[in-house]
């Protein structure tokens, strides 16, 4: 289900809130996506997490997002891959697991050495938010329980639970929920009305997706084009 046709939340077309799905190291796609969006100082951009792993240049992705946050209103959410990387940096016993789940590509983008990861990149990940709530939307990396505020939900739900394992109903707040994490291998947005997933499998040949939540305009680019 990919058609998006919800009512607009506001009439001021100069103000945009744009959600960006899982990037997974696809720096080339991110650069092209941002060029297509043409951000202005009035815009807010919400990244849904999973900046790294699996794709070819996680280091550059973090550089881009950090640079962007110095110029625009950026709301970066935490994804499960950031959690894995931070654990791997802190606890060597977890490194092999992280490397198997896409971390190998990430560490290669830093020259193959954990010591090459800038403190600025680690600080950025530590400061990412667990979720974000606007007037009419909730943004969270993976999933949610419909009967509880996002503040009360367990990490297993917010960061790790795929929609294929648990498909929630409308949230008790009545707000539309925007998530990533569950890769849509066909490259198209998954839209249930109350819930929209914009992880469109960029690292695997799909698209990197951005969604203007007010107008429902969609931008999509591929990494290898």
């Amino acid at each position: 289900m990919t058609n998006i046709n919800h009512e607009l939340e506001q009439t001021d077309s100069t103000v945009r809130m744009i959600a960006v799905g899982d990037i997974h190291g696809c720096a080339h796609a991110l650069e092209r996506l941002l060029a297509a969006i043409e951000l202005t100082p009035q815009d807010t951009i919400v990244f849904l997490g999973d900046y790294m792993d699996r794709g070819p240049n996680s280091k550059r992705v973090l550089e881009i997002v950090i640079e962007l946050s110095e110029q625009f209103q950026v709301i970066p959410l935490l994804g499960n891959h950031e959690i894995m990387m931070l654990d791997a940096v802190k606890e060597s016993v977890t490194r092999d697991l992280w490397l198997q789940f896409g971390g190998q590509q990430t560490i290669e983008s830093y020259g193959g050495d954990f010591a090459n990861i800038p403190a600025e990149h680690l600080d950025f990940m530590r400061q990412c938010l667990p979720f974000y709530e606007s007037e009419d939307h909730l943004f969270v990396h993976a999933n949610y329980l419909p009967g509880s505020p996002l503040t009360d939900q367990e990490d297993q739900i917010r960061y790790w639970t795929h929609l294929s394992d648990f498909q929630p109903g409308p949230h008790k707040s009545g707000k539309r929920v925007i998530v990533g994490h569950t890769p849509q291998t066909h490259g198209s947005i998954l839209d249930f009305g109350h819930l929209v997933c914009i992880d469109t499998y960029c690292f695997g040949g799909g698209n990197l997706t951005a969604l203007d939540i007010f107008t429902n305009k969609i931008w999509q680019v591929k990494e290898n084009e």
Side-chain angles (χ1 to χ4, degrees), residues 9-19 33-46 72-75 132 134 139 210-219:
E9 296 183 14
Q10 60 168 28
T11 57
D12 185 355
S13 61
T14 65
V15 177
R16 300 182 297 178
M17 181 172 285
I18 299 164
L33 187 71
L34 293 171
I37 293 171
E38 297 182 318
L39 288 171
T40 73
Q42 290 75 37
D43 295 330
T44 297
I45 187 164
V46 183
F72 299 98
Q73 178 63 33
V74 172
I75 299 172
Y132 179 70
S134 69
F139 303 84
L211 169 68
D212 183 335
I213 66 163
F214 297 142
T215 66
N216 296 306
K217 179 176 181 178
I218 298 168
W219 296 265

Side-chain angles (χ1 to χ4, degrees), residues 46-204:
V46 183
F47 290 101
L48 294 178
D50 280 6
Y51 311 91
M52 62 194 54
D53 295 351
R54 295 179 171 152
N57 202 343
S58 295
K59 176 185 177 183
R60 181 58 188 149
V61 168
L62 287 179
E63 290 172 347
I64 292 168
V65 175
I66 291 170
E67 291 167 6
L68 204 67
S69 67
E70 295 169 351
Q71 305 171 56
F72 299 98
Q73 178 63 33
V74 172
I75 299 172
L77 301 191
L78 184 67
N80 62 302
H81 282 263
E82 285 74 61
I83 292 172
M84 285 193 289
M85 181 176 179
L86 289 172
D87 285 345
V89 169
K90 183 173 59 177
E91 301 285 349
S92 60
V93 68
T94 66
R95 290 182 183 178
D96 286 345
L97 181 62
W98 173 62
L99 292 173
Q100 292 174 28
F101 282 91
Q104 184 63 47
Q105 293 92 327
T106 294
I107 204 65
E108 287 173 2
S109 75
Y110 287 99
D113 191 339
F114 275 85
N116 293 336
I117 303 173
E120 182 184 27
H121 290 195
L122 298 174
D123 289 342
F124 167 80
M125 286 183 277
R126 294 183 183 112
Q127 293 167 14
C128 286
L129 302 176
F131 63 89
Y132 179 70
E133 184 169 358
S134 69
E135 184 176 351
D136 294 290
H137 283 80
L138 301 174
F139 303 84
V140 65
H141 176 64
N143 213 321
Y144 65 96
L145 297 175
S148 303
L150 293 185
T151 51
D152 296 342
Q153 308 215 2
E154 295 181 357
D155 288 353
Q156 182 64 34
I157 292 289
R158 291 193 297 210
Y159 303 124
W160 298 92
T161 302
H162 288 93
L163 296 177
S164 53
D165 297 323
F166 173 69
Q167 183 182 312
H171 191 262
K172 62 178 292 186
S173 65
K175 298 182 179 185
R176 183 165 64 146
V177 186
I178 312 296
V179 302
H181 186 64
T182 302
Q184 304 304 304
T185 56
H186 44 67
S188 297
I189 283 176
L190 180 65
D191 177 25
F192 293 110
H194 66 282
L195 166 65
V196 181
C197 177
I198 61 171
D199 177 359
T200 47
Y201 200 50
C202 186
F203 78 90

